Amino acid sequence: MDEFVVYVLYSEKYNKHYIGYTSNLLERFKSHNFLGTKGYTTKYRPWVVIYTEFFQSNKEAIEREKYLKTGAGRDYINHYN
């Protein structure tokens, strides 16, 4: 069974957060920090993982990711850095 991870990245250099979800955190992290050539995360490297949550279903992970992108969710995240 697949496991899904909601994660929060933080760029200390730019004081930026990025919220996402994946089924392979290590590969996704490498993409954000090293392999990707376009997109939001390439502009604010380097990133560190400051928060993770694990889920059994894709649906649960998407719902949590959406919540963390709300004002209340961002307030919750701000306690981690």
Side-chain angles (χ1 to χ4, degrees), residues 12-77:
E12 185 174 8
K13 183 176 180 180
Y14 296 99
N15 192 31
K16 298 280 186 187
H17 289 95
Y18 178 82
I19 302 163
Y21 82 97
T22 184
S23 59
N24 188 332
L25 183 58
L26 183 57
E27 289 303 314
R28 193 71 180 118
F29 181 72
K30 286 195 296 189
S31 176
H32 286 306
N33 259 338
F34 309 110
L35 305 176
T37 59
K38 60 183 178 179
Y40 177 83
T41 60
T42 61
K43 300 173 193 172
Y44 302 109
R45 291 173 176 164
W47 295 98
V48 293
V49 178
I50 62 166
Y51 183 78
T52 57
E53 283 186 50
F54 294 86
F55 297 91
Q56 294 301 311
S57 77
N58 187 43
K59 182 177 184 239
E60 290 175 303
I62 290 171
E63 288 173 6
R64 184 61 171 170
E65 178 196 26
K66 285 180 181 177
Y67 169 76
L68 291 177
K69 290 180 176 180
T70 67
R74 290 191 180 277
D75 287 344
Y76 179 80
I77 289 167

